[in-house]
């Protein structure tokens, strides 16, 4: 096996548990307390967000941009959970939502 192919396999193997980890991350960060089913406090459910964010699929810079926006907070009403999550975790969560939030 070429070194290149080996690295590719390694990268893929690393991605699989990562994808599964994101819903757990959303759970750990308390995101589901507002974005679960049924959603609370005027938050859109993750399924609805996933539909809205599906158009960002294939845009490499989208998760970072969306994470920055979310963490910066909106002009009206701050959501502590959005601002407390770390940059890396937020990027992973945005990628998870873009990919369908499953
Ligand atoms: C206290 C309730 C609450 C919690 C907890 C919460 N959210 Fe939200 N979230 C909201 C509300 C309300 C909105 C819609 C208003 C807004 O966008 O500010 C929202 C909007 C969003 C949006 C859409 C922003 C946009 O308009 O594009 C995303 C993405 C999001 N939340 C992700 C998360 C993630 C990830 C977590 C966990 C780290 C989380 N939320 C935790 C209440 C919450």
């Amino acid at each position: 096996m070429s070194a290149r192919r080996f690295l590719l396999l390694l990268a893929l193997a690393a991605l699989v548990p990562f994808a599964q980890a994101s819903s757990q991350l959303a759970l750990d960060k308390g995101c589901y307390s507002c974005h679960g089913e049924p959603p609370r406090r005027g938050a859109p459910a993750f399924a609805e967000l996933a539909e809205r964010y599906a158009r960002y699929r294939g845009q490499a810079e989208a998760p970072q941009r969306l994470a920055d926006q979310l963490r910066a907070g909106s002009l009206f009403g701050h959501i502590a959970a959005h601002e407390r999550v770390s940059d890396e975790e937020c990027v992973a969560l945005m990628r998870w939502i873009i990919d369908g939030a499953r």
Side-chain angles (χ1 to χ4, degrees):
M1 195 189 311
S2 73
R4 202 172 185 178
R5 178 165 294 178
F6 177 73
L7 283 176
L8 187 69
L9 281 176
L10 212 64
L12 284 176
L15 275 175
V16 172
F18 187 68
Q20 289 166 345
S22 293
S23 59
Q24 185 62 48
L25 187 60
L27 205 62
D28 290 347
K29 296 291 157 189
C31 311
Y32 279 105
S33 61
C34 295
H35 293 284
E37 291 287 353
R40 278 184 285 262
R41 306 202 199 191
F46 274 131
E48 190 192 323
L49 279 178
E51 236 167 75
R52 215 196 285 169
Y53 282 9
R55 65 192 153 108
Y56 297 119
R57 269 178 215 169
Q59 296 182 24
E61 84 299 350
Q64 183 69 61
R65 181 160 38 84
L66 291 166
D68 290 345
Q69 278 169 14
L70 193 74
R71 293 176 69 238
S74 72
L75 219 48
F76 319 98
H78 289 280
I79 295 168
H82 291 175
E83 295 167 16
R84 220 167 31 216
V85 70
S86 77
D87 181 48
E88 269 175 24
E89 287 171 335
C90 201
V91 170
L93 288 165
M94 295 306 109
R95 196 172 289 134
W96 168 68
I97 296 172
I98 291 171
D99 286 340
R102 281 180 296 258

